[in-house]
Amino acid sequence: MSWLDEVRWNSDGLVAATAQDVQTGRILMQAWMNREALALTAGEQQAVYWSRSRGKLWRKGESSGHVQKLHELRLDCDGDSVLLVVEQLGGIACHTGRESCFYRKLTEDGQWLTTDEVLKSPDAIYGEDMSGSSDNG
């Protein structure tokens, strides 16, 4: 049995994948992987995801240069989620130009507060055509 057979894929053949910074422990992003993406990530030691909006493999950093170098790959207790402990090259994981996709925090009055600054304009990273897409990379 392959290690990939131990993953509990959802009905779409995907597994949730969370990227965490190896140095700080900060959660950088959450995306999806199919079997091929997970195998490629392990083999290439760089994050490869499945883009649901584009319907194809997506190598993190292919258009932005913000590659995620894999340090460790973990499977959760239920087998339905993977954790990628990564070195985020360029320090930007989010397509909005921020360090993390989790840059908004719920306040006591029920509002989302933006807590992280934009490190680099999405237009400067991707050009005007791609800055609005949620799974740039």
Side-chain angles (χ1 to χ4, degrees), residues 23-88:
Q23 294 176 350
T24 66
R26 183 162 190 203
I27 301 300
L28 300 174
M29 59 177 278
Q30 189 273 321
W32 296 93
M33 292 182 158
N34 64 7
R35 189 179 182 98
E36 182 180 8
L38 186 55
L40 286 169
T41 296
E44 296 176 6
Q45 295 294 290
Q46 290 188 2
V48 180
Y49 299 104
W50 175 256
S51 170
R52 294 180 301 166
S53 63
R54 293 184 243 169
K56 66 177 192 171
L57 291 174
W58 154 51
R59 283 177 167 73
K60 179 67 176 156
E62 66 188 4
S63 57
S64 68
H66 300 139
V67 172
Q68 292 176 341
K69 254 181 89 179
L70 186 67
H71 282 251
E72 203 172 288
L73 184 59
R74 291 180 174 255
L75 182 64
D76 82 336
C77 59
D78 296 321
D80 62 0
S81 180
V82 294
L83 175 67
L84 286 72
V85 180
V86 300
E87 176 186 353
Q88 179 65 61

